[in-house]
Amino acid sequence: MATVAVVAGVGALGPVVADASPKLPTISAQDLLAKVQTAKVDGLSGTVRSDADLGLPAIPGMAPGSRELTDLLSGQHTARVAFASPDKARVSLIDNQAEQLWTTDGKSAWAYDSSKREATKLTLPAHKTTKPEKALPESYDPQAVAKQFLDAIDPSTAVQVSGTEKVAGRDAYKLRLVPKTDKTTVGSVTLAIDSKTWVPLDVTVMPRTGNDPAVELGFTSVSFDVPSASSFTFTPPKGVKVTDQKLPANHERPHSVPPKLVKPSTPGKSGVAQADKPTIIGTGWDSVAMIRGANAAGLAANPASGPLGQLLAKAPTVQGSWGKGKVLTTRMVSALITDDGRVFVGLVTPDTLQAAAAKAPR
C-alpha cells in the first residue's frame, strides 16, 4: 500500500455522515470487497472535504493556509472536483477566499492561483491508449485513497462490515479494516461504500492511540453523472499572467494537479529508485517507502534550513547499521532522513522504520 496515506490539500469537516443509519440488504465482507475492487464509474462531480490531523507540530512564522509541508499534512480544506474518463479532471481548492485551480481536458492542462494572479498552461503531447486511466487526482479521490488501504489487506488484516450510514445523501455500507500487527500506527480504517455504485464515498483513518480521526476524506455532495466537456476548460481572468509550457512527447503525462499521495513502485533490477518512484520495503501495513534523490543529505546535515528543516531542528538523531540521520515521529507518520540522502517514511512505528532502513539498498 502507499505508505503516506495523507491528503495534500483537500477539505475539512468533522464526520461527513449525517442522518440515521439506512436499512440495506445484508452483505458479507468478502462480497463487499469484491464489489468495491471492481467498481468503475465513467465520471462524477462533487465537493470533497477532509480533516487531517497527524500530530505535526506548528512551525513558527509559517502562515496558515500556506502550501508548505505541514499544511499538506494537516488542517481542513474543501475542494470541488470533477472527472470524466479517460483523461479529464478538474480540482478547485478554496482556502482563505483564494482559489487554486487545476484542470485538464486531455489535450492541455491549466494551473491557476487567484492570490498570485498567475496561470500556467501546459500543452500535452498526443497520446494513444486503449486502457482508460482514472483522471481524478488521488489526493482528492476517496476511491483512490481507499484503494491504497484495500491493497494492504492480507492475513494480518481483520475485515468486517460494521454497519451502514448516509454519506453525501447516499446510502452506504461501512467496511472496517483493522491491522492485527502492532508495527503500524494505523488503528483502523473505515470505508463508506456507496450501495449503488460500490464507490468509496468516505475514508476515515483512526490512529492506534487516541479517539480522534487522523484523516477523514469524503464527499459532502456527489453526482455520478458524467460532467460536460466544458467543465474541464479554463479561460484565464483578465489581467492574469499566463506562462505557456509544452511537455515533450516522450515525457510521462503528468497529473496537472496538486501533490498527491505517494504511489509506490517496485525497484528495478538495479535496486535504485528515482526520487518520484519510491522503493517499497516490507508489505501491507508494515511497508515503508524509501526515496532517493530528495536532496535530503544536506537537510539532515543542516536541519535549520527551510520549513522541513525547522520541523527537524528538534528531532532526535539516530543511527544504526543503516547509517545516521534524523527521525521525525507523529501519532501517524514516521520519517527518517539519513545523512546519505535517503528518506524513509511510513505509517509505522519508529523501530519498524529503522528496521526497514537496515534492509534497504544503499
Side-chain angles (χ1 to χ4, degrees):
M1 83 174 214
T3 56
V4 187
V6 291
V7 179
V10 220
L13 82 156
V16 181
V17 180
D19 304 333
S21 300
K23 292 184 179 180
L24 295 172
T26 301
I27 188 171
S28 68
Q30 182 178 1
D31 288 345
L32 185 54
L33 272 173
K35 289 181 179 295
V36 174
Q37 291 171 337
T38 57
K40 182 181 181 298
V41 293
D42 293 326
L44 63 77
S45 60
T47 300
V48 174
R49 291 182 177 180
S50 123
D51 189 351
D53 181 9
L54 304 181
L56 291 174
I59 297 178
M62 184 174 290
S66 69
R67 287 293 169 269
E68 301 291 355
L69 176 71
T70 53
D71 190 53
L72 298 180
L73 302 185
S74 63
Q76 300 179 341
H77 308 273
T78 300
R80 292 190 294 269
V81 304
F83 102 88
S85 181
D87 55 4
K88 297 178 176 63
R90 183 183 181 99
V91 174
S92 177
L93 179 63
I94 306 296
D95 269 334
N96 298 325
Q97 299 182 337
E99 179 185 26
Q100 286 192 308
L101 172 71
W102 297 266
T103 187
T104 178
D105 59 6
K107 297 179 181 179
S108 62
W110 285 90
Y112 168 61
D113 188 332
S114 68
S115 64
K116 297 180 180 179
R117 296 193 61 77
E118 294 179 352
T120 299
K121 180 182 180 181
L122 181 64
T123 301
L124 305 177
H127 70 299
K128 297 180 181 179
T129 178
T130 56
K131 183 179 179 181
E133 57 183 81
K134 185 74 174 290
L136 189 63
E138 293 180 8
S139 298
Y140 301 85
D141 183 0
Q143 187 178 12
V145 175
K147 184 180 184 303
Q148 296 187 20
F149 287 108
L150 292 171
D151 287 346
I153 293 177
D154 59 17
S156 69
T157 308
V159 184
Q160 66 178 135
V161 179
S162 59
T164 64
E165 61 184 351
K166 281 274 191 181
V167 176
R170 298 181 66 91
D171 294 348
Y173 292 96
K174 293 194 291 184
L175 184 65
R176 190 164 183 258
L177 315 178
V178 181
K180 297 178 182 178
T181 174
D182 60 2
K183 295 180 180 180
T184 179
T185 55
V186 177
S188 67
V189 178
T190 300
L191 313 178
I193 309 300
D194 185 73
S195 62
K196 300 295 185 183
T197 65
W198 309 109
V199 169
L201 300 174
D202 179 81
V203 181
T204 301
V205 182
M206 295 296 297
R208 185 167 290 277
T209 58
N211 299 317
D212 297 323
V215 175
E216 182 171 13
L217 168 68
F219 287 101
T220 55
S221 65
V222 65
S223 168
F224 290 99
D225 295 333
V226 178
S228 64
S230 62
S231 301
F232 307 101
T233 60
F234 175 72
T235 301
K238 186 177 180 179
V240 169
K241 179 183 176 182
V242 176
T243 301
D244 286 293
Q245 296 181 3
K246 187 173 182 179
L247 197 66
N250 61 349
H251 195 284
E252 181 181 353
R253 292 170 62 85
H255 291 284
S256 58
V257 294
K260 63 176 183 177
L261 305 181
V262 172
K263 186 174 183 179
S265 62
T266 55
K269 294 182 179 179
S270 66
V272 177
Q274 300 297 323
D276 60 345
K277 294 183 179 180
T279 296
I280 303 304
I281 300 126
T283 59
W285 301 101
D286 300 349
S287 62
V288 170
M290 181 187 76
I291 306 169
R292 294 183 186 272
N295 195 27
L299 180 60
N302 183 23
S305 60
L308 179 56
Q310 294 180 53
L311 196 63
L312 289 171
K314 296 182 180 180
T317 298
V318 292
Q319 59 184 359
S321 61
W322 48 266
K324 183 180 179 182
K326 288 276 190 176
V327 64
L328 173 66
T329 60
T330 73
R331 63 175 182 152
M332 285 296 296
V333 179
S334 297
L336 172 64
I337 298 178
T338 66
D339 288 353
D340 62 6
R342 295 175 295 165
V343 176
F344 297 87
V345 62
L347 299 176
V348 297
T349 63
D351 288 345
T352 304
L353 194 71
Q354 292 190 57
K359 300 176 183 177
R362 290 189 177 268

